[in-house]
Structure formats: structure tokens, C-alpha cells
Amino acid sequence: MTFDLSRLDTVQLVPLTPFSSDGSKVLPDVLGSFTSWLYDAGVRVFLPGAATSEFHSLSAEEVVTCVAATRSALPDDAVVIAPIGMSVSHALSIGKGAIDAGADALLVMPPVHPYLCDAGMGDYFRALTDALPLPFLAYKKGPFPSDELLGELSRAGRLVGVKYAVNEVDAVTRFIESHRGKLGVYCGTAERFAPFFHLAGATGYTSGAGNICPRLTLAMHRALAGGDYAKAMQFLRTIRPIEDYRARSGDSYNVSMLKTAIKFRGRDFGPPRPPQRRLTPLEETEVRTLLEPILAAEAELGG
């Protein structure tokens, strides 16, 4: 199956999922409008319904709704990657719906099952790839699937890329060198680690901060792609307060900080769903304050 991997050599944005005020309903029209705004800012790769989009709090139908709303808002030159995961039946339900909605590829989310091993993970991937005729990417966030299994799946012809979210630069360097030209490898831990993964050979990275400052993170990627690491680090220093805040208390502010920040951007995406935390009034004030210089820098880039 042919897939132009160069289309993924960019910022791969995970858009926030907008909910009604009580958190009970996904709002596809709001997501579609937001997707168009991100596209106009320069974003070309979207992962609707994925981790920062609250994948684990969404039903299969809701994930497909997010994929459909995103795809319908975008021209053909944009790439939409649909997340699939949890039980095989749940993953297949999303995958089939995402194909019907026009997804370009599928991202297998990190396994949440206990008692994991490569033998079982291999069976899991094959059950999905045998049933779903789209290119696959894997989201590696722990020991399983192992680098060895990912290589095996790549050689079988259906795995085209890996969102590598284990911050071991030597390991990812070895992995990239082993699969260069055969498998796309992307930093799965966003802006803070992207320069180091890029130096190791990664060609893109996923972003949640891009929901707030898309032009800044795209500028950072352009600097990385051009080998201007000093300039890239300057952009990172501007963006970093968002990422540092999201990483507090074991990354438990990942979603809620962005949902608060986007409100200060003039968009109400509703609350995060439990078990995501909600920010206190003091924390909301902190977020508003840290955003001021970031939004000023974004505005200088045309945002």
C-alpha cells in the first residue's frame, strides 16, 4: 500500500474535542470551524479524537464523529489520521467508521490492557491490519509493542510510521537508523523533546500546544527541518511554558490546561471529561498570565 510519508514530515496536531457545557455531547460544527482555522494557520496533519482529544473518554461513535467533522472541514492536501485502540472490536468499530469518513491512515493507540507481551501485541496488530485497508501508524509509549515487533510489522508492509513517545534518545536513534527510508518516525512527546528526536532523525512531531499557537510550533518545525537548531530552541523557549504546565503532576494537566487556554483564545470547548482534572480559579489565572507572551509572539507571526 502506497502512502506518501513526506506528508507527515511536519507538525501533527491533536485537536481538542469540543463538548457541550455539561460535557455530554461532542460538538462537530465547533470542531469543524476550529479545524478550518488551524488549516488556515498552516497545519496540514490532524489526529482528531487522539490522546489530547480525550480518546479514552470518547465512545467509538464519538471518535468517528470527530474524524468526520475534521475531514469534512479540510481540503484534500490535509492528512487525517484516526486513532483506534482498546479492545479489538472497539478498534475495528472506529476504524471502519473512520474509513467511511475519509480518514487517510490509522493510529494504533498505546495498549491499556494488563499482562502485555509482544506475542499478544503482534496478534492485536494483525487482527486490525487484516480487517482495515488503510496505512497504519503505531503510538509507542512503553515497552510494548517493542522496537523489534514494530520492525517486523513494518516489514510486513502495513505499518508506515511510529509515533515514538519513549524519551530515550539513544533507543530512538538506533530505531531510526535501523528503519531509515522504510518507516516514518515522529516524536510523540511534543515540542519539549522534538529538537532532540529531530537530531536523531525524526522528521515531525505531534503537538497539543498547536491548538493555542499553531504558527509558533510550525515555525519551530521549519527551523528544525532547516537544521537551524538555535532558532528552533528560541521558538521552544516561547512555547515551553504551555508544555511545562501540561506536564505538572504526572502530565495530569495535559488536557485541562489546553481547554482553559483555548477559552482565553475566545473559543469555548466545554469542560474536560472525568477523570481529567479541572483547573481551579487560581490555576486559570496562572494560565492566562503565561499565555500573554505566547499569544503576542503568535500574533507577530500572523495569528
Side-chain angles (χ1 to χ4, degrees):
M1 179 175 296
T2 60
F3 183 82
D4 183 1
L5 278 176
S6 67
R7 299 176 74 192
L8 303 184
D9 295 348
T10 183
V11 174
Q12 302 170 10
L13 193 129
V14 186
L16 293 169
T17 300
F19 295 133
S20 56
S21 59
D22 63 358
S24 64
K25 296 179 181 178
V26 172
L27 305 179
D29 290 345
V30 175
L31 180 57
S33 174
F34 182 55
T35 299
S36 295
W37 179 78
L38 291 167
Y39 180 89
D40 289 344
V43 178
R44 292 296 180 269
V45 178
F46 297 81
L47 288 78
T52 298
S53 310
E54 301 183 66
F55 175 81
H56 297 91
S57 297
L58 298 173
S59 68
E61 182 180 1
E62 287 175 326
V63 175
V64 173
T65 294
C66 291
V67 173
T70 302
R71 180 72 274 175
S72 64
L74 293 169
D76 291 342
D77 66 329
V79 178
V80 177
I81 302 172
I84 61 175
M86 297 194 281
S87 71
V88 169
S89 61
H90 187 83
L92 290 177
S93 179
I94 296 173
K96 291 172 183 176
I99 291 170
D100 291 341
D104 299 289
L106 302 171
L107 173 68
V108 180
M109 297 291 284
V112 295
H113 313 73
Y115 323 126
L116 291 169
C117 67
D118 265 356
M121 284 302 302
D123 291 342
Y124 181 80
F125 270 88
R126 283 183 282 272
L128 301 181
T129 57
D130 286 350
L132 301 170
L134 277 185
F136 277 74
L137 292 89
Y139 186 169
K140 178 179 172 62
K141 201 173 174 65
F144 302 107
S146 70
D147 289 359
E148 291 74 21
L149 176 58
L150 292 171
E152 178 185 325
L153 294 167
S154 173
R155 289 188 292 275
R158 294 294 302 283
L159 187 70
V160 300
V162 177
K163 178 180 173 179
Y164 207 104
V166 178
N167 293 322
E168 297 178 5
V169 178
D170 182 62
V172 74
T173 301
R174 292 174 184 272
F175 184 76
I176 290 170
E177 289 178 351
S178 297
H179 301 286
R180 193 179 301 276
K182 304 172 186 175
L183 190 65
V185 184
Y186 316 102
C187 176
T189 46
E191 285 83 359
R192 284 189 301 160
F193 297 94
F196 314 104
F197 276 65
H198 205 96
L199 187 61
T203 54
Y205 58 87
T206 51
S207 175
N211 284 277
I212 309 304
C213 51
R215 289 173 174 84
L216 277 172
T217 192
L218 287 165
M220 176 178 153
H221 181 270
R222 284 193 297 272
L224 290 173
D228 192 343
Y229 286 89
K231 188 173 183 180
M233 294 302 287
Q234 289 178 351
F235 284 119
L236 176 56
R237 281 192 288 274
T238 302
I239 299 167
R240 188 174 183 118
I242 292 177
E243 293 301 281
D244 286 346
Y245 205 101
R246 295 174 70 205
R248 291 169 54 175
S249 298
D251 293 325
S252 66
Y253 286 81
N254 185 301
V255 175
S256 56
M257 185 276 179
L258 291 178
K259 282 218 158 173
T260 297
I262 205 166
K263 183 167 59 177
F264 298 140
R265 260 295 208 170
R267 299 177 183 271
D268 188 355
F269 272 41
R273 283 179 173 171
Q276 300 301 320
R277 73 191 309 147
R278 297 197 186 192
L279 269 59
T280 67
L282 176 60
E283 290 168 337
E284 290 188 355
T285 299
E286 291 173 345
V287 170
R288 183 189 290 272
T289 299
L290 74 82
L291 280 180
E292 290 177 359
I294 299 170
L295 296 183
E298 176 78 3
E300 290 181 5
L301 294 174

